Structures are given as C-alpha cells and as structure tokens.
Amino acid sequence: MAVLVLIVVRLLVEIAVRSGASRCAQERLRFGSYWWRRGLRPQMRRPRELSGGEWPYGTFLQRLAPPVRMTLLGLGVRRQVPAGQIVIHEGIRESHLVLLEEGLTKVTATLPDGRSALLSLRIGGDLVGEMSALNNAPRSATVTTCGPARYSVIQPDRFKRFLKEHPDAALELAAMVSDRLRWSNRRRIDFTSYPVKLRVARVVAELCRTHGRQGPDGVIIDVRLTQPDLATICGASETSIQKALRELRTEGLVDTDYRRITVRDLPSLRKLGNLDSSDN
C-alpha cells in the first residue's frame, strides 16, 4: 500500500510540475505536506456548517483556491443518500472519484478473518477514491455513510483534465495523499511501540484536531464513534479499549457518552500520548 501511495504522489507531482504549478505550491509539497506544516493547534478550528465557501480545515476543498474549488464542485453529478449507504466498494474495479460535500463517512477494509477494520473517517470537503482513479487498480477499501450525506461523483477523465489545467490542485492532492500515508505509518508505529492506553490517547487527541469542537466542558469529538470502531483504529480488543477509557475518565482527561467523547484536558491527554508540537 505504501509503495502504491508513493507512486500516486510521484505521478501527481509530475503532472503539477509539467503543467506549471506555482513555485509556492511546489515548495509546500517538497518540504512537507500542507496540513502538517501549518502547525494546527490542539484546539483547532471548529467544523462548521458550510457557508460562504468555508470547508473544514485540512480537507481537499479547503486546500484549494476559491475559483479552483468552484471548478471542481462543478465537475461531478450530485447525489444525496441516507445513512448506511456504500459509496465505494472494496475490491471493485472502478475509477470514479467521490467528492464529499456534507456528512460523515467511514473507510473500512476487510481483514483476513472476515472482520471489518475501520481505517479512517472522511467528512464534507474530503476526496475519496483518488487512487483507483489514477492507477486503475481495484478499490482498496469500502466507504460508507455514517449519516445522511451529499456528494459528487466525478469521472476520472474529467478529474485528470482538471489536474492538468490546475497544477496547484495536483500538488495539493499529492500533499493530501502524503498526509494519509503519514497517518497510516503512524498507526503502524503506534501498534508496535505503545501500550493500548497510549494508543487511545494518541488517537483521541488526533480526533480532537480533525473532528473536534470546543464545548463548555472541553473538546467534543463530533463523530459517532463506537468502542468497536475505536478498537479497530487503535489495533486493540474492545475490552482493552473499555479499560483504557475507564482509566482516562478516572484521571479526569475524558468523558464518554453514547458514541461521543469529550476531552476535558487536551494538553494532558497529548502529554500522555507523547505528542508534541511536531505532531500537529
């Protein structure tokens, strides 16, 4: 998978450079992906209802300049679906892209024993399905809506033409793919280097950064995340996750409710997870 991602990144960079991407965009990718170099603070920007062209921080649409963003939004065919709808099927050989506009989706993959592993979460503004669109390989994961969602289906030939006409967007796409590879690599390191409690602290702290909003009692993670979901992200058993969350509650770091986590002391949680400013 990592090799495949690197090939896609290299292809995107080549498209951008040949098409005349700005020097600023090239430098941004060369010295580190956009999201990670911005040094986003733990409190982060709250995900908001979309208005005036604003999109959640770090999403592909947020990375683009307004005119480029509008062009991309006009490329596809819009669809509106209920919760539980599969928008991309693992293993299917298809190459269209899905541009999420509203809603939350989960990305899962089937394990050898038949269980489903939660790989990541995607929100409005995110792009999914880009790897198959660029390399014609079968889908590597399944993307399912967690609630009502709206998205655009973009055909690969139109998207490739868009990247050639907007080379800065190609570099932002490469940066996005690099971010996801970084996330994947960090999860593998966490599985081998840290006990379960620290893995939970690291994942919850990162969810605060990507899906958190400031509430009266702390940072609320606005994701309907079950303990089995958290267990698959952390690479641990559900029993171990329950024990870790119980300890974090006892220490006053988090509160848990049905499918919701409120982080009461984010700095201490990040310290527990051995996260510093370079991990933003």
Side-chain angles (χ1 to χ4, degrees):
M1 175 64 72
V3 174
L4 183 58
V5 171
L6 291 174
I7 292 174
V8 172
V9 171
R10 189 179 302 123
L11 174 62
L12 291 168
V13 173
E14 184 176 346
I15 291 174
V17 173
R18 289 185 177 180
S19 302
S22 69
R23 183 175 182 81
C24 176
Q26 294 182 37
E27 291 298 309
R28 184 160 62 204
L29 181 62
R30 179 182 176 187
F31 291 108
S33 60
Y34 180 61
W35 193 345
W36 294 88
R37 293 184 65 243
R38 283 291 297 269
L40 183 61
R41 303 313 303 167
Q43 288 76 15
M44 70 168 291
R45 299 182 182 180
R46 172 180 173 178
R48 292 162 287 190
E49 293 295 324
L50 303 182
S51 61
E54 295 181 351
W55 297 87
Y57 187 88
T59 60
F60 186 58
L61 285 178
Q62 185 272 332
R63 297 168 185 259
L64 303 179
V68 180
R69 183 187 304 135
M70 292 303 297
T71 299
L72 180 59
L73 285 167
L75 290 183
V77 177
R78 282 186 171 82
R79 295 178 181 174
Q80 193 158 343
V81 297
Q85 181 75 31
I86 297 178
V87 298
I88 288 180
H89 294 258
E90 180 183 2
I92 300 297
R93 187 176 290 276
E94 56 187 10
S95 57
H96 64 267
L97 300 95
V98 172
L99 180 63
L100 302 173
E101 297 184 24
E102 290 183 7
L104 174 71
T105 63
K106 61 181 180 180
V107 182
T108 59
T110 304
L111 299 174
D113 61 5
R115 293 183 296 122
S116 180
L118 178 65
L119 303 180
S120 60
L121 300 166
R122 299 286 179 253
I123 59 178
D126 277 328
L127 184 70
V128 293
E130 72 285 345
M131 292 178 62
S132 292
L134 294 171
N135 61 21
N136 296 316
R139 300 294 194 189
S140 60
T142 294
V143 179
T144 308
T145 60
C146 299
R150 188 181 68 192
Y151 61 91
S152 293
V153 176
I154 303 175
Q155 295 305 315
D157 56 339
R158 302 194 72 183
F159 186 69
K160 291 175 183 177
R161 190 181 312 118
F162 164 79
L163 293 179
K164 291 179 180 178
E165 294 174 353
H166 302 89
D168 282 3
L171 285 180
E172 294 297 354
L173 180 61
M176 182 194 76
V177 174
S178 298
D179 285 344
R180 294 177 180 178
L181 176 60
R182 184 190 295 257
W183 162 271
S184 178
N185 288 339
R186 287 180 61 180
R187 295 287 75 77
R188 281 194 286 269
I189 293 172
D190 288 352
F191 294 161
T192 59
S193 303
Y194 298 105
V196 173
K197 183 178 177 180
L198 266 69
R199 294 185 221 166
V200 173
R202 291 170 70 86
V203 169
V204 171
E206 192 146 6
L207 286 172
C208 282
R209 184 171 64 84
T210 56
H211 298 87
R213 63 179 174 87
Q214 189 66 47
D217 299 319
V219 181
I220 300 171
I221 299 175
D222 272 336
V223 175
R224 295 178 63 82
L225 193 66
T226 66
Q227 289 188 0
D229 289 339
L230 188 57
T232 57
I233 292 178
C234 296
S237 68
E238 188 175 349
T239 301
S240 298
I241 295 297
Q242 292 171 351
K243 178 183 177 182
L245 288 175
R246 184 166 57 249
E247 292 177 357
L248 293 176
R249 286 195 301 268
T250 300
E251 295 169 10
L253 301 182
V254 305
D255 279 339
T256 57
D257 198 351
Y258 179 67
R259 295 193 175 187
R260 188 172 78 172
I261 299 175
T262 300
V263 177
R264 302 182 65 89
D265 188 347
L266 184 54
S268 296
L269 186 70
R270 290 176 57 81
K271 183 177 179 180
L272 174 63
N274 293 329
L275 292 169
D276 55 31
S277 59
S278 65
D279 294 301
N280 289 332

